[in-house]
Amino acid sequence: MNGLVLGATGLCGGAFLRQAQEAPQFAKVFAILRRELPSPAANKVVAVVEKDISQWPALISEEMHPQVLFTALATTRAAAGGLDKQYKIDHDLNMQLARAAKDRGCDTIVLVSSAGAHVDSRFGYMKMKGEIERDIIALNFKHTIILRPGPLLGKRTNSKQNGFGGNLAAALGARVYRSRLQSWLGYPVYGDDVGKAGVHLALNPSEKDKVQFVSSKDILDITSSLGKNNA
């Protein structure tokens, strides 16, 4: 089985890559990136570096043939230079890559979305995330797993990638992580929690639910059941 990770230099994408490369079920794990990975990866990891993101869909080849697509591909309004430019990456590029992967035989997609995602949201970010979910589901993969983390915790390489809620939510979230107060802040999770839950669900897909929505609390419950968190 081959896996493909998008957004592998980010918080959740990096966690997908680490978890997938450790899973014996994957023979190879591909990652499409604009720059080299920040740290050495396992021999089974194949990094495909291309600065021109418009070329990325064509890189998903017959040879790559991913059975599982993990996508944490996303940017922020600040990093992109506006919501319209953010949409072109978060929505449009994700859709192009997901279609290309499905055309190459991919049957499972794991998408990092967000708590509060909804197509009718009054907030531009949440509306965008809801539209990504809707359109990914419409591609009709055999298994669609949508992760909806709350405040994301963990060290980021770029201060502009702090995302919705920013530094304040992360700082408060770290204080209540896995505490009795965690529900007050929407069950904060580390990137490693997201990666561990996503890879586990991809390798153990539901037999009855073609589309799975996985809340932040679900992510914490899954990682607790798998053993001590590595974050």
Side-chain angles (χ1 to χ4, degrees), residues 98-139:
R99 287 192 193 98
K102 191 168 188 292
D103 288 344
R104 295 304 185 191
C106 183
D107 58 19
T108 299
I109 184 169
V110 181
L111 169 72
V112 178
S113 182
S114 174
H118 199 284
V119 292
D120 295 324
S121 176
R122 294 179 296 171
F123 299 98
Y125 178 84
M126 296 305 182
K127 179 178 176 63
M128 176 183 68
K129 289 295 187 182
E131 291 176 355
I132 298 167
E133 292 183 356
R134 176 198 64 197
D135 295 342
I136 288 292
I137 291 170
L139 291 179

Side-chain angles (χ1 to χ4, degrees), residues 184-203:
W184 292 13
L185 284 181
Y187 295 94
V189 292
Y190 278 89
D192 279 356
D193 292 316
V194 176
K196 185 179 290 186
V199 171
H200 171 74
L201 291 170
L203 296 175

Side-chain angles (χ1 to χ4, degrees), residues 26 28 38 52 63 94 105 115 119 134 141 150 163 180 191 215 220:
F26 289 108
K28 287 187 178 180
D52 183 358
E63 180 183 2
N94 261 312
V119 292
R134 176 198 64 197
F141 281 85
R180 288 179 295 178
S215 71
L220 290 169

Side-chain angles (χ1 to χ4, degrees), residues 47-73:
V48 182
V49 179
E50 172 56 68
K51 292 183 179 180
D52 183 358
I53 61 176
S54 69
Q55 300 300 313
W56 284 11
L59 297 176
I60 304 177
S61 62
E62 290 284 356
E63 180 183 2
M64 188 179 290
H65 186 55
Q67 282 81 34
V68 181
L69 171 61
F70 300 97
T71 179
L73 179 64

